[in-house]
Amino acid sequence: GAVVSQHPSRVICKSGTSVKIECRSLDFQATTMFWYRQFPKQSLMLMATSNEGSKATYEQGVEKDKFLINHASLTLSTLTVTSAHPEDSSFYICSAIPLLAGVQETQYFGPGTRLLVL
Amino acid sequence: DAKTTQPPSMDCAEGRAANLPCNHSTISGNEYVYWYRQIHSQGPQYIIHGLKNNETNEMASLIITEDRKSSTLILPHATLRDTAVYYCIVMEYGNKLVFGAGTILRVKS
């Protein structure tokens, strides 16, 4: 159980275009999902916290107008990188916390999406 | 900022136990210790977590010292597929995971 998927797994786009990445919890519902970014040979950096039905909370230094997050259902969150530039090339990873009350819950991670902006 | 300190890398012989240490001297009473690992070019994988007591599951054991200032993740019989970056994270219930640099574990045949 507790499987999280991401689509696409890999995307190459031209500079200036927008890219949408989907994160789905396949066998559980999640009110909270997280988006991370990881540059080569670095650790994961949290970008934003996505709550179903409300606006995402962005970490300091992350542009909310550039990285649009939508969490429209209990199983789907999307990250759209708008007007992507080469410096946005990175490994984007989402995670989700299962919707279970009263228990210390674990985050489960997706397999990641590798974005290359040319 | 990460609240944990881990050695940057470790080697382990295949079939042997891998013992990965983690210091978290500033941990507070309601913070849990989580362990994740990340195999190259994949998303992190949950391993185990604990609060005070030692924990064991099908993947690993977690030994937490009595003062909770440090812990050790034990992979009882390491295989080549256990080669990964292992992250020790201290997290309060419901809070964000803050990843540090982790420990690169290399399992060698």
Side-chain angles (χ1 to χ4, degrees):
Chain A
V3 177
V4 177
S5 71
Q6 285 184 237
H7 179 80
S9 59
R10 182 184 300 264
V11 57
I12 301 173
C13 70
K14 293 182 179 180
S15 184
T17 60
S18 294
V19 175
K20 180 187 285 189
I21 301 170
E22 292 185 348
C23 175
R24 294 182 185 273
S25 54
L26 297 185
D27 51 2
F28 64 96
Q29 293 182 322
T31 54
T32 303
M33 292 184 172
F34 300 86
W35 286 96
Y36 295 80
R37 180 169 53 182
Q38 185 175 33
F39 293 108
K41 298 188 177 182
Q42 294 186 22
S43 190
L44 284 79
M45 294 294 294
L46 180 66
M47 299 175 67
T49 302
S50 168
N51 292 297
E52 187 264 339
S54 64
K55 291 184 178 180
T57 303
Y58 291 82
E59 295 299 301
Q60 191 173 8
V62 178
E63 299 175 57
K64 62 180 182 181
D65 295 331
K66 180 169 183 62
F67 299 100
L68 302 179
I69 292 173
N70 183 280
H71 192 159
S73 78
L74 290 174
T75 59
L76 173 65
S77 176
T78 60
L79 169 68
T80 301
V81 183
T82 62
S83 187
H85 292 287
E87 57 266 29
D88 298 322
S89 298
S90 188
F91 192 47
Y92 291 86
I93 308 168
C94 72
S95 69
I97 298 179
L99 176 59
L100 286 175
V103 177
Q104 174 66 12
E105 281 303 332
T106 300
Q107 283 187 41
Y108 296 95
F109 286 80
T113 296
R114 191 161 300 282
L115 170 64
L116 176 62
V117 184
L118 302 177
Chain B
D1 293 332
K3 299 180 181 179
T4 62
T5 303
Q6 299 177 251
S9 65
M10 293 182 63
D11 289 341
C12 177
E14 189 178 21
R16 298 286 201 144
N19 296 281
L20 292 91
C22 179
N23 287 322
H24 31 79
S25 58
T26 61
I27 193 170
S28 62
N30 55 352
E31 289 182 318
Y32 286 72
V33 179
Y34 279 78
W35 283 85
Y36 284 80
R37 72 180 182 184
Q38 186 178 25
I39 296 170
H40 183 63
S41 295
Q42 297 182 24
Q45 177 188 21
Y46 166 78
I47 302 173
I48 199 167
H49 75 280
L51 181 62
K52 295 180 183 178
N53 300 322
N54 297 338
E55 302 288 342
T56 296
N57 62 21
E58 64 278 4
M59 288 184 67
S61 294
L62 174 60
I63 309 298
I64 302 174
T65 58
E66 194 167 340
D67 63 8
R68 303 211 321 124
K69 292 185 177 182
S70 67
S71 62
T72 301
L73 178 74
I74 301 173
L75 307 179
H77 305 286
T79 70
L80 298 178
R81 287 183 293 181
D82 292 321
T83 293
V85 180
Y86 286 77
Y87 296 101
C88 169
I89 302 169
V90 166
M91 188 183 80
E92 190 172 344
Y93 176 75
N95 277 5
K96 303 171 287 191
L97 289 174
V98 178
F99 285 80
T103 295
I104 299 172
L105 174 67
R106 300 185 191 90
V107 181
K108 300 183 176 181
S109 58

